Amino acid sequence: MLSKKTLAAALAATLAVASGAHADDSFSWRFSGFGTAGYTATNSNDVLLVNPGQLKGAQEGGTGLVDTRVGGQLDLTFTPSLSATAQAIAMQDAKGRFRPTVEWAFLRYKLTGDTTVRLGRLGWPAYLVSDYRYVGYANPWVRAPLEVYNLAAMDNYEGADISWSHNAGAGYLTLQALAGHASSPLPDSTEETARLKVNQLAGAYVTYEIGNLRLRGGASTGKVTYRSSNLGLLVDSLQMVGFDQYANSINANGARTTFMSLGGNYDDGKLLLTGEYAKLRSASDALGTAAGWYGTAGYRLGKWMPYVTWAGYTKDNNSSNYAFPPYPPLMPLAQGVDGLVDGNSQHTASLGVRWDVYKNVAIKLQADHVLPSSHGGTFTEVVPGYDGHAVNVYSAVVDFLF
Amino acid sequence: MHRIFRNCLVAGALALAGAPAFAGTAVIVSANSPVKSLSKDDAAALYLGKTTSLPAGGTAKLFDLADSNPLREKFYQAATGKSASQVKSVWSRLVFSGRAVPPKELDSDAAVVKAVAADPSAVGYVDSSAVNGSVRAVLQLP
């Protein structure tokens, strides 16, 4: 485990190297930042709209808590082959607070002209835009489609990666392999914070860029431990009444989990097309097997770009594996299990427009028509008895770079 | 003979007069650089961060003009077909994913020429009229 202390020591060492290298004219540093001021409202108080990992969200009343964020990044270049990057982001988190967290902090060393290794806290490159999903300015939408980006709520890991880029045909091929472990807090319905831990994380990704087309795909696998007070209570209760087998298949305690994704985007300056498919498969039924996809098309008219998105998400129904005898005291337990392992789904049609109002400022307006299942799809805080009626989400954001 | 001589003079005069009038953007490398020419695609790939490798081998060190310089927008439009804000989006993706640091920005053509001349791995772009003997124009853009 790369603890905060180790990270701090690494950064301190890095800074020491930096000051030592000051005399060398190849040393340079650069600070850059990004941010979003957003406001979101829905037309329903039955469910809560959040970005993955957030406690608070939007309902009828509207809120700025979902998309508002600010981030800063420091890049230090020591020699042409050695550099360091640290990025911190403040956004509403699993405890509902705006506390800056170190999104990543790593050293990068260029082994050869084509091969680079990085070490430290790194962004988990699971998705097409995972490296810059919080940089609103760099993305066409108000927020990355939740049908895909809610599947695996993990942004970074501690470890290392190696990447190799080379000309291939008329394009550029990049191969990336990573290994490490991760831990990220998730909101819980109680006062406690749930936590997702991934050990023995390993992954491989391929990117191919040719002309205006970029394709990316790959997979990660790891042993996932998910702890929340609700899941803990459920597993304990199951064991207490002798359903050990059910307890084991639900519990996520080092459960082998894989996540694969495939996506691409095409941008010729006028037409923008982008889409992605991702699938999560876990040995734990609490995480289950789920898949998501989206397609976005946009067309630039000067400084304006209207766009449409169609997205879908489905989680497999595993409830047939859990049969409880019709004994009334077991009812709450059976319901608890069912709520966890039952299927879920959501489809969304979105319409939006981006306006490049200034060279580093973009304004976006987006309306989403969301059709979740009665389990609420990607929404949280689903009220009991929610029937899966459509929910409209209205968002306005200002994205900026500085 | 007379006529040929006169035509030559006229052509020469036109060429001299024409140079500033038709001045485009020149992508430049140091006079000591192994790079003899760059294609528009090569320049676009470098300045959109798709590669850092020079066709002749080695890693390119890029120089850019400041945001406020109108030649910048002209260069990116000619080399990549993208507007300044689209290019900003592309670089923000690279920067905030920690994969690349954008080209170093300099204030003037003269500063770019000076920086490029001093480094055999450097690549820059300037108004064609700013090219002198210390650098080599490897690509002419309108």
Side-chain angles (χ1 to χ4, degrees):
Chain A
M1 174 116 188
L2 198 75
S3 66
K4 274 184 189 147
K5 225 178 213 171
T6 330
L7 214 61
L11 279 178
T14 305
L15 288 170
V17 173
S19 48
H22 230 293
D24 186 348
D25 66 349
S26 68
F27 173 76
S28 63
W29 64 275
R30 189 176 188 281
F31 178 82
S32 27
F34 58 88
T36 297
Y39 186 82
T40 304
T42 76
N43 67 344
S44 171
N45 284 335
D46 293 345
V47 293
L48 189 71
L49 175 92
V50 296
N51 268 319
Q54 288 181 331
L55 181 68
K56 297 176 186 167
Q59 289 187 328
E60 278 177 34
T63 179
L65 291 170
V66 179
D67 300 306
T68 301
R69 65 181 76 96
V70 63
Q73 180 173 313
L74 185 62
D75 290 287
L76 305 173
T77 308
F78 307 121
T79 72
S81 48
L82 182 67
S83 59
T85 296
Q87 185 186 99
I89 303 182
M91 57 186 163
Q92 195 237 130
D93 59 19
K95 287 183 172 164
R97 295 188 300 208
F98 275 86
R99 227 177 35 192
T101 53
V102 176
E103 190 71 1
W104 47 64
F106 59 79
L107 283 174
R108 175 176 39 212
Y109 187 74
K110 219 169 180 176
L111 286 174
T112 69
D114 295 334
T115 314
T116 303
V117 289
R118 300 188 302 170
L119 179 73
R121 174 176 292 181
L122 299 159
W124 184 41
Y127 301 101
L128 186 65
V129 306
S130 45
D131 282 348
Y132 49 89
R133 67 187 281 193
Y134 298 120
V135 186
Y137 188 91
N139 287 300
W141 335 269
V142 161
R143 71 187 72 86
L146 297 174
E147 280 78 1
V148 168
Y149 285 77
N150 194 45
L151 286 172
M154 186 174 93
D155 290 340
N156 49 49
Y157 68 97
E158 264 106 36
D161 78 350
I162 181 163
S163 65
W164 177 85
S165 293
H166 207 267
N167 294 10
Y172 299 94
L173 179 71
T174 303
L175 305 176
Q176 182 182 10
L178 66 90
H181 58 87
S183 174
S184 66
L186 288 175
D188 198 346
S189 48
T190 64
E191 289 295 302
E192 301 285 308
T193 305
R195 192 161 274 279
L196 185 76
K197 281 189 179 184
V198 184
N199 284 316
Q200 297 172 34
L201 173 70
Y205 293 87
V206 182
T207 308
Y208 189 63
E209 283 182 83
I210 180 162
N212 296 319
L213 183 68
R214 177 168 173 255
L215 297 169
R216 191 171 181 288
S220 283
T221 180
K223 291 190 163 180
V224 175
T225 300
Y226 173 70
R227 283 194 209 292
S228 76
S229 50
N230 285 349
L231 183 63
L233 196 66
L234 197 63
V235 169
D236 288 348
S237 309
L238 283 168
Q239 281 167 340
M240 208 146 44
V241 294
F243 288 96
D244 283 28
Q245 204 186 330
Y246 290 178
N248 288 340
S249 58
I250 284 184
N251 201 7
N253 192 7
R256 172 61 63 188
T257 303
T258 58
F259 186 79
M260 63 79 67
S261 62
L262 186 65
N265 74 312
Y266 173 86
D267 187 347
D268 68 5
K270 286 269 180 216
L271 179 68
L272 171 79
L273 296 171
T274 182
E276 193 171 1
Y277 171 86
K279 183 159 193 165
L280 175 82
R281 191 190 293 272
S282 175
S284 156
D285 282 343
L287 300 168
T289 299
W293 52 266
Y294 66 82
T296 295
Y299 193 79
R300 287 190 189 84
L301 302 155
K303 293 184 178 305
W304 296 80
M305 187 185 76
Y307 60 89
V308 291
T309 299
W310 177 236
Y313 154 73
T314 50
K315 177 174 179 276
D316 290 359
N317 184 351
N318 284 324
S319 56
S320 59
N321 300 339
Y322 298 85
F324 290 92
Y327 177 52
L330 284 177
M331 278 291 284
L333 203 54
Q335 277 169 357
V337 169
D338 201 50
L340 208 57
V341 302
D342 205 4
N344 196 356
S345 71
Q346 177 170 300
H347 288 88
T348 299
S350 306
L351 191 63
V353 65
R354 173 189 173 125
W355 175 32
D356 283 301
V357 59
Y358 189 63
K359 62 187 175 188
N360 55 350
V361 181
I363 291 176
K364 293 174 203 159
L365 301 172
Q366 185 175 311
D368 309 301
H369 184 64
V370 190
L371 300 162
S373 73
S374 60
H375 285 290
T378 66
F379 292 102
T380 61
E381 312 264 315
V382 182
V383 296
Y386 170 67
D387 61 357
H389 64 72
V391 177
N392 291 338
V393 181
Y394 308 100
S395 312
V397 297
V398 181
D399 295 316
F400 50 91
L401 301 174
F402 59 93
Chain B
M1 193 65 168
H2 210 88
R3 202 177 187 152
I4 292 168
F5 181 67
R6 202 179 62 190
N7 282 352
C8 283
L9 263 182
V10 170
L14 274 177
L16 280 174
F22 295 112
T25 310
V27 177
I28 55 170
V29 297
S30 162
N32 304 321
S33 166
V35 179
K36 302 295 175 209
S37 77
L38 277 183
S39 69
K40 203 176 93 171
D41 287 346
D42 292 335
L46 286 169
Y47 276 92
L48 291 177
K50 288 181 182 176
T51 182
T52 55
S53 303
L54 287 166
T59 302
K61 188 174 178 193
L62 301 184
F63 289 97
D64 212 337
L65 285 168
D67 243 350
S68 52
N69 195 317
L71 190 65
R72 178 166 161 150
E73 170 96 41
K74 199 178 150 199
F75 164 74
Y76 278 103
Q77 198 70 56
T80 69
K82 292 185 193 293
S83 70
S85 67
Q86 285 172 271
V87 171
K88 250 200 158 46
S89 276
V90 169
W91 273 104
S92 66
R93 274 168 222 159
L94 292 166
V95 170
F96 294 119
S97 61
R99 278 188 291 153
V101 173
K104 191 168 181 190
E105 289 180 12
L106 296 171
D107 286 335
S108 64
D109 283 2
V112 173
V113 168
K114 196 178 159 210
V116 169
D119 186 343
S121 66
V123 178
Y125 64 89
V126 290
D127 190 280
S128 301
S129 61
V131 175
N132 64 27
S134 66
V135 293
R136 180 186 311 129
V138 287
L139 172 65
Q140 276 293 342
L141 293 165

